[in-house]
Amino acid sequence: MPSIPFDYDPASDALFLDFDGTLVDLAARPEDVIVPPQLIETLWKLHSLSQGALAIISGRPLAQIDHFLQPLQLPAAGTHGMERRSADGKLTRLPAPDTARLLARLKPLVDDNPGLLLELKQGAVALHYRHAPQLEQICIQAITAALAPESGFTLLRGKMVLEAMTSGVDKGQAIAGYMAESPFSGRRPVFAGDDVTDESGFSWVQSEQGKGLGIKVGAGPSVARARVTSPADLHAVLFGILGAEKG
């Protein structure tokens, strides 16, 4: 699917960026993603140009985001907004339901299938099947059954991952939280993401409340009004914005 041009002005917009599949290419294992060195410099310069109005909105925990983007420690929402660090460094963690029973129900499936990976996050359990795509339906059935007797969770389906997530938490709400705070408040929100878990963010920024723009990275249906074909293309656009600012 071709790219759809978009505009972003660091002086008047607030930029929100997903991580996996958006800033970096997806990897077989979450820990194997590669962050291009130039990306760190680009994010730092855009953060400075926007007077701090740039944040990462990811399904990963904050600790992982900080690890991959070091030495940067940007405003960031981890686990879809379960934990959120504001521009002034204040950390907010939402109440999380107990995940112990979910883990116990899913562990036998993962133990019997080495291609599967079970990831525990704050208020969430993710079942990855990128190494065993043929087990997709079995994984869906297993996590659906594991969730049936539980309350307080919502099932999110991403790229080769199924996530039992705390109900009422999504990337749209995380972005809304930032837009109520300095230095994001009063700016136009622009959000780039690649997965179905980013659709809530696109919907919020493009709503009457947000009046902003969603940017879909890669192929697939989306409510986002703009599109780029890959993380590399997004890097090129952002780097080009820095070049225009210099000019």
Side-chain angles (χ1 to χ4, degrees), residues 79 82 95-97 99 120-125 152-153 163-167:
T79 317
M82 281 297 298
T99 57
L120 176 62
K121 309 177 187 180
Q122 183 194 1
V125 175
F153 291 96
E163 191 160 357
M165 181 69 215
T166 301
S167 297

Side-chain angles (χ1 to χ4, degrees), residues 26-112:
L26 295 172
R29 298 184 302 173
E31 63 269 28
D32 291 340
V33 297
I34 296 174
V35 179
Q38 188 182 47
L39 176 62
I40 302 293
E41 183 180 1
T42 298
L43 291 176
W44 172 244
K45 288 181 177 178
L46 289 173
H47 179 264
S48 298
L49 281 172
S50 65
Q51 298 184 318
L54 182 153
I56 307 299
I57 312 291
S58 176
R60 286 183 182 263
L62 279 180
Q64 292 184 17
I65 298 169
D66 290 344
H67 167 73
F68 283 110
L69 295 182
Q70 61 183 314
L72 297 184
Q73 194 171 80
L74 300 169
T79 317
H80 307 281
M82 281 297 298
E83 46 182 355
R84 190 170 68 85
R85 183 173 59 228
S86 60
D88 63 5
K90 179 183 177 181
L91 183 61
T92 301
R93 288 191 170 94
L94 299 179
D98 186 8
T99 57
R101 291 184 297 273
L102 285 177
L103 284 171
R105 295 181 190 123
L106 293 170
K107 191 174 184 300
L109 174 66
V110 176
D111 289 343
D112 291 342

Side-chain angles (χ1 to χ4, degrees), residues 2-240:
S3 295
I4 301 172
F6 70 90
D7 62 304
Y8 161 65
D9 183 353
S12 58
D13 295 338
L15 183 61
F16 300 97
L17 299 163
D18 173 46
F19 186 72
D20 294 276
T22 299
L23 286 178
V24 298
D25 290 314
L26 295 172
R29 298 184 302 173
E31 63 269 28
D32 291 340
V33 297
I34 296 174
V35 179
Q38 188 182 47
L39 176 62
I40 302 293
E41 183 180 1
T42 298
L43 291 176
W44 172 244
K45 288 181 177 178
L46 289 173
H47 179 264
S48 298
L49 281 172
S50 65
Q51 298 184 318
L54 182 153
I56 307 299
I57 312 291
S58 176
R60 286 183 182 263
L62 279 180
Q64 292 184 17
I65 298 169
D66 290 344
H67 167 73
F68 283 110
L69 295 182
Q70 61 183 314
L72 297 184
Q73 194 171 80
L74 300 169
T79 317
H80 307 281
M82 281 297 298
E83 46 182 355
R84 190 170 68 85
R85 183 173 59 228
S86 60
D88 63 5
K90 179 183 177 181
L91 183 61
T92 301
R93 288 191 170 94
L94 299 179
D98 186 8
T99 57
R101 291 184 297 273
L102 285 177
L103 284 171
R105 295 181 190 123
L106 293 170
K107 191 174 184 300
L109 174 66
V110 176
D111 289 343
D112 291 342
N113 296 277
L116 301 180
L117 171 67
L118 202 56
E119 181 184 10
L120 176 62
K121 309 177 187 180
Q122 183 194 1
V125 175
L127 178 59
H128 298 265
Y129 56 93
R130 187 170 301 277
H131 283 293
Q134 74 279 7
L135 298 179
E136 179 180 29
Q137 288 305 314
I138 292 174
C139 289
I140 292 172
Q141 293 168 5
I143 199 165
T144 300
L147 282 170
E150 299 293 328
S151 60
F153 291 96
T154 299
L155 179 58
L156 301 180
R157 295 184 61 173
K159 293 179 177 177
M160 299 292 184
V161 62
L162 300 163
E163 191 160 357
M165 181 69 215
T166 301
S167 297
V169 176
D170 61 44
K171 292 186 178 182
Q173 294 305 309
I175 293 172
Y178 280 114
M179 292 303 296
E181 303 170 349
S182 178
F184 302 91
S185 178
R187 291 170 173 256
R188 183 188 71 143
V190 176
F191 174 51
D194 73 302
D195 208 346
V196 293
T197 56
D198 299 310
E199 293 297 315
S200 63
F202 299 148
S203 294
W204 192 90
V205 299
Q206 294 177 167
S207 68
E208 282 300 312
Q209 188 174 4
K211 295 182 173 60
L213 179 67
I215 305 161
K216 168 77 170 179
V217 180
S222 177
V223 300
R225 297 186 186 127
R227 186 182 297 263
V228 294
T229 57
S230 67
D233 287 339
L234 180 63
H235 297 173
V237 173
L238 296 179
F239 192 70

